[in-house]
Amino acid sequence: MFDWAGLLLKAVYYYGHLIGLSNFEFDWRTGRVFTAKRSTFYAIAINAIIFMLLILQSTKKLDLNMIIGRSNKLVQYVLIIVLGMRIAAGFSAILVRWRQRTQMMRLTKMVIRIFLQKPQVIRMSRWDILIKFILACTTDFLQMAITWNAMGHSEANQILPMVVQFWMSAVINLATSQHYLVILFVRAYYHLLNRELRQVIEECKELSNHPQRKGAFMTRCCSLSDRLEIIAKLQTQLQSTVTQLHEVFALQGLMVFGGYYILSIATAYLTYSILKNGYENLEMTLVMMILSFTWSFFFYLDAILNLFMTLNLIDDHKEMIRLLDQRTIFASRLDVRLEETFDSMQLQMIRDPFKIKIFKTFTITRSSTSVMFGSLITNSIFLIQYDLENF
């Protein structure tokens, strides 16, 4: 059977090298992670070009009129902040890949080693991989179209800033896609572990309701204890992988999260400005407006997909805790070793709670996400009120 999901992952892998985000290589089949002169020198060359372009851009003044036409100072300030955050997020992603190269290689090796044990994880995730691939490609192509359209209405000295903006957007998009894929694979693995744990719980219930002869009873209890120990070991590895993932992506996560937050407020305000003044009065072209709103739709759809993948992973972990709590309904006491294995796994999960934090400050939960959306709405209203009062 044709492995199109693996082909998409290979495309993501080579695209990362192409734009200069990846600076080491790995082999999915063997789990080998290594540095190579070819990929290292190429990444250095591409990153040096990006750095030089950023320096050249800093010497030029960006003409915001080519993006949104004639606008008031508040709109221009909002655009400057958004574009600055995008460049800072992309540049920080590249710096992190060099500064924490060893940690990134260790994380990649950990991920590959874990999932080589369960190759069906990729097969289980193939449709999520396809959806993510389509959204990421659509976002990049729309960004390219916006850049091309803006370049067609700009002077030659404004082309460089637009190219840098597109490049940084591509880097951010791929970096968040790589983070998404790791979370996706961990979540698929959690599904397998929860399925196995559910089977162990059901067999324990049956064993506690119908005690067998002592020899057979002890044999089944030992077998269940072994299976439970394997589940506990794999769960620890998965949790360690997620923890290390967010430690490595800490700065990048903060920049991307801050970019999402500011861009969301800016999008609400810019939408209000267009509705208030009309795109003709802002000297925007109809094509630019359509491309911008289409890009925003797919960009936020992709962002929501990333967010809910993380939230669903947290829910899968809670489901495992809930399954372990079912041991209290066993009809009679099982073997001592099996009971101790249950106790050990529960204590392990209580002692080391599963939390996903951004830069060790903002904990991602459904309640904190609701608070964030409320804050977005509030700040968007404040910005619109300021515009009504002063412009």
Side-chain angles (χ1 to χ4, degrees), residues 162-302:
M162 299 304 300
V163 172
V164 172
Q165 282 292 332
F166 169 71
W167 204 333
M168 291 296 99
S169 295
V171 167
I172 297 170
N173 196 14
L174 180 60
T176 53
S177 297
Q178 291 174 343
H179 180 277
Y180 170 89
L181 289 174
V182 176
I183 295 295
L184 172 63
F185 293 151
V186 170
R187 187 174 177 230
Y189 217 114
Y190 255 99
H191 282 180
L192 293 176
L193 293 185
N194 282 338
R195 185 188 306 168
E196 177 69 17
L197 180 60
R198 197 173 287 110
Q199 292 175 356
V200 170
I201 295 293
E202 290 300 324
E203 291 185 32
C204 287
K205 287 181 183 178
E206 179 184 355
L207 196 60
S208 66
N209 287 319
H210 305 285
Q212 302 177 12
R213 290 174 301 176
K214 187 174 182 180
F217 179 80
M218 292 291 294
T219 301
R220 289 192 64 185
C221 283
C222 288
S223 175
L224 291 172
S225 179
D226 291 339
R227 290 165 62 184
L228 193 61
E229 286 178 350
I230 293 173
I231 294 173
K233 180 180 178 181
L234 290 174
Q235 188 277 328
T236 301
Q237 293 177 351
L238 291 177
Q239 187 167 334
S240 177
T241 299
V242 175
T243 301
Q244 187 171 343
L245 172 70
H246 287 91
E247 288 178 354
V248 172
F249 282 76
L251 178 60
Q252 175 187 309
L254 179 64
M255 297 300 295
V256 172
F257 181 80
Y260 278 138
Y261 187 86
I262 294 176
L263 185 59
S264 299
I265 297 174
T267 301
Y269 173 65
L270 294 176
T271 302
Y272 157 79
S273 296
I274 293 174
L275 293 175
K276 174 186 175 182
N277 303 300
Y279 72 91
E280 301 93 343
N281 294 328
L282 292 175
E283 297 181 0
M284 287 183 65
T285 64
L286 179 61
V287 174
M288 176 61 79
M289 187 186 70
I290 293 174
L291 286 175
S292 297
F293 277 108
T294 307
W295 176 84
S296 297
F297 172 78
F298 284 101
F299 176 80
Y300 286 114
L301 185 61
D302 183 63

